[in-house]
Amino acid sequence: MARTTGSHSEITGPRVREAALRLFARHGYAAVSMRQIATEVGVQAGALYNYTPDKQSLLFSLMRGHMDELLAARKALGEEGSPTDRLERFTRFHISFHSERPEAVFISYMELRSLEPENFQIIESLRRDYENALEGILRDGMDSGAFTVADPKIATLAVIAMLTGVNTWYRSAGRLTLEEVEQIYWDMVRRCVS
Amino acid sequence: MARTTGSHSEITGPRVREAALRLFARHGYAAVSMRQIATEVGVQAGALYNYTPDKQSLLFSLMRGHMDELLAARKALGEEGSPTDRLERFTRFHISFHSERPEAVFISYMELRSLEPENFQIIESLRRDYENALEGILRDGMDSGAFTVADPKIATLAVIAMLTGVNTWYRSAGRLTLEEVEQIYWDMVRRCVS
DNA sequence: GTGATAACTGAACAATCGTTCAGATCATAG
DNA sequence: CTATGATCTGAACGATTGTTCAGTTATCAC
C-alpha cells in the first residue's frame, strides 16, 4: 500500500464534498456541472470519480451524511425532564444545529426532488424519524396536560417549518445573537403549543 | 390582421406557461429542458419562442405573475377591523391562497436562485412588500396591546414560514378540510403573538 | 377563390453535459 | 535505487442543452 501518509485522497476527498456542498446549495444540483466542482477543487473532472461513483451518489452522500448527523445529535439530547424542558431543548437544538450548517440544510430540503426514487425514500424516512421525535414530545405534553395542541402531527410540522425558517435570514454577524434568536423562538413555540 | 379568432396562440400560450409551471415545480428549472416543455404542450421546441424570448424570461414571468396575484389578493383583504381580526384574515388568506396554487408557490420559493440578478431583485422586493403587510399588522397589534411580540420582524418571518409550510403536506383530499387547517393554524398563530 | 401572415416544423448551431480511460505523475515501500 | 500503485491529466464519447431560422402549414380577411 503506497502513499499512505501524505496521500492526496485524504485532502482531495473532503474538498470534493465541500465544493459540491457549496455549489449545490448556491446554484442547485442540476445547475452545477462536475467540471465546476472539479475547478473549485483545483483538479480535472475525471479525478472526481476517484471519490464518487457518479454525481447522484455525491448528492445523496451529502444529504445522507447530514441527516445521520442530525439524528445522532438529536438523540444525544436525551429524554430527561418534563415535556416543556424537552421541547425547549429541541427548539434550541434545532436552531443552533441548523444555523451551523446552512448549506447542508438547504440542500437536504431543496434537492429532495433531485434524488432518484430509492435515495429519496431513504432521506424521506430519516426526516420522518426526526419529525417523530418532536411529535413524541408534543404527545407527552398533551398527556401530561402541559400542552394544548389541536393536532400533534400538524403542530410538529408547523413548529419545524417555523424553526427551519430561521436559516433563511439568520447570519451570525447580524443584529441578534444566536442565543437571542433561540430565546425569541422558544417564546413563540411555547406559546404556540400551550 | 389574420387569424384573430381561433388563433392557436391564445391556446398554446397559456399551455406553455402551464406546462412550464408544472415541470419547473416538479423537477426544478435547471433540470427541465425546453424540449420537455414543448413535448408536454405537443409542439416542437422552436415554437416555444413565439411565447417567450428565452427560458429565463419564462421562469421570471411565472414568478412575477404569481407575486403580482398574491399582492393584489392581499390588498383586497382590506385594512378594516382590529389587529387581531386582520391577523386572522391574513392567516386564513395565506393558507387558502397558497393551497390553491402549490406549483407557483413552490417555484417562487425554490427557484429564486435560478433568477438572474436583476430578476431576483424584483421578485425579492415583491416578497418584502408581502412580508411588510404582515409586519404592519403585528406592529399595530403591539401598539394597541393586542399582541406581545419580542421582535416584529422575526415574528413576521416565523409566522410566514409556519403558514407556508402547510403547502408541503396539505392535500385537498386529505384528512382535514381547508377550513379545519385554517382554524388550527389560526389558533397557533394567535397564541404565538399573544 | 387569393393573398397575407400567424403558427409551427425540422434541421442545424456551438456549447456543455456526465462519464470513461489510457497514459503520465509522483510519493512511498522495499 | 527500483517497483508499486494511488492519484490525476487530458482527450475523447455520445447525448443533450438553449436558441435560431428558412421553409411549411393553416387559418384568417377580403
Side-chain angles (χ1 to χ4, degrees), chain A residues 75-183:
Chain A
K75 215 162 197 171
L77 283 182
E79 305 280 348
E80 308 88 36
S82 68
T84 302
D85 287 343
R86 289 159 60 204
L87 182 58
E88 178 172 2
R89 279 208 305 278
F90 183 94
T91 298
R92 293 182 182 275
F93 160 74
H94 186 99
I95 291 174
S96 71
F97 184 91
H98 282 66
S99 76
E100 284 167 10
R101 35 181 79 68
E103 289 162 338
V105 171
F106 199 71
I107 286 179
S108 296
Y109 276 76
M110 305 272 280
E111 298 296 351
L112 284 169
R113 62 185 173 188
S114 301
L115 290 174
E116 289 162 4
E118 62 263 45
N119 290 339
F120 174 82
Q121 291 299 335
I122 294 169
I123 300 297
E124 198 53 17
S125 161
L126 294 173
R127 182 186 316 287
R128 251 194 314 276
D129 290 347
Y130 185 70
E131 291 169 359
N132 288 341
L134 174 56
E135 189 177 340
I137 296 173
L138 294 182
R139 286 188 186 279
D140 289 348
M142 288 170 69
D143 294 344
S144 75
F147 303 151
T148 308
V149 174
D151 187 303
K153 189 71 201 163
I154 291 184
T156 296
L157 297 172
V159 167
I160 288 182
M162 186 169 112
L163 296 180
T164 305
V166 172
N167 260 43
T168 64
W169 58 265
Y170 175 76
R171 299 293 175 269
S172 59
R175 173 165 63 92
L176 299 165
T177 67
L178 189 60
E179 165 59 29
E180 288 169 332
V181 173
E182 285 181 18
Q183 187 60 48

Side-chain angles (χ1 to χ4, degrees), chain B residues 2-173:
Chain B
R3 295 183 68 178
T4 50
T5 64
S7 168
H8 284 187
S9 76
E10 293 168 10
I11 299 173
T12 308
R15 297 229 308 150
V16 168
R17 295 174 62 85
E18 286 158 20
L21 186 70
R22 182 169 48 251
L23 289 170
F24 287 166
R26 182 132 46 192
H27 306 293
Y29 172 77
V32 172
S33 70
M34 294 299 271
R35 284 173 181 80
Q36 284 176 60
I37 298 172
T39 299
E40 196 89 347
V41 176
V43 102
Q44 292 296 318
L48 298 182
Y49 291 84
N50 289 319
Y51 304 98
T52 181
D54 50 42
K55 191 186 176 190
Q56 168 76 198
S57 300
L58 184 53
L59 173 65
F60 175 69
S61 170
L62 290 170
M63 293 175 71
R64 169 93 211 212
H66 171 68
M67 293 306 296
D68 286 346
E69 263 191 65
L70 174 67
L71 287 171
R74 208 282 319 168
K75 214 161 198 173
L77 283 182
E79 305 280 349
E80 308 88 36
S82 67
T84 303
D85 288 342
R86 288 161 60 204
L87 182 58
E88 177 171 2
R89 279 208 305 278
F90 183 94
T91 299
R92 293 182 182 275
F93 161 74
H94 186 99
I95 291 174
S96 71
F97 185 91
H98 282 65
S99 76
E100 285 168 9
R101 34 181 79 67
E103 289 163 337
V105 170
F106 200 71
I107 286 179
S108 296
Y109 277 77
M110 305 272 279
E111 298 297 350
L112 284 169
R113 63 185 173 190
S114 302
L115 290 175
E116 290 163 3
E118 62 263 45
N119 289 339
F120 175 82
Q121 293 298 336
I122 293 169
I123 301 297
E124 199 53 16
S125 161
L126 294 173
R127 182 186 316 288
R128 252 196 312 277
D129 290 347
Y130 185 70
E131 291 169 359
N132 288 341
L134 174 56
E135 189 177 341
I137 295 173
L138 294 182
R139 286 189 186 277
D140 289 347
M142 288 170 69
D143 293 345
S144 74
F147 302 152
T148 308
V149 174
D151 188 302
K153 189 70 201 163
I154 290 184
T156 296
L157 297 172
V159 167
I160 288 183
M162 186 169 111
L163 297 180
T164 304
V166 172
N167 260 43
T168 64
W169 58 265
Y170 175 75
R171 299 295 175 267
S172 59

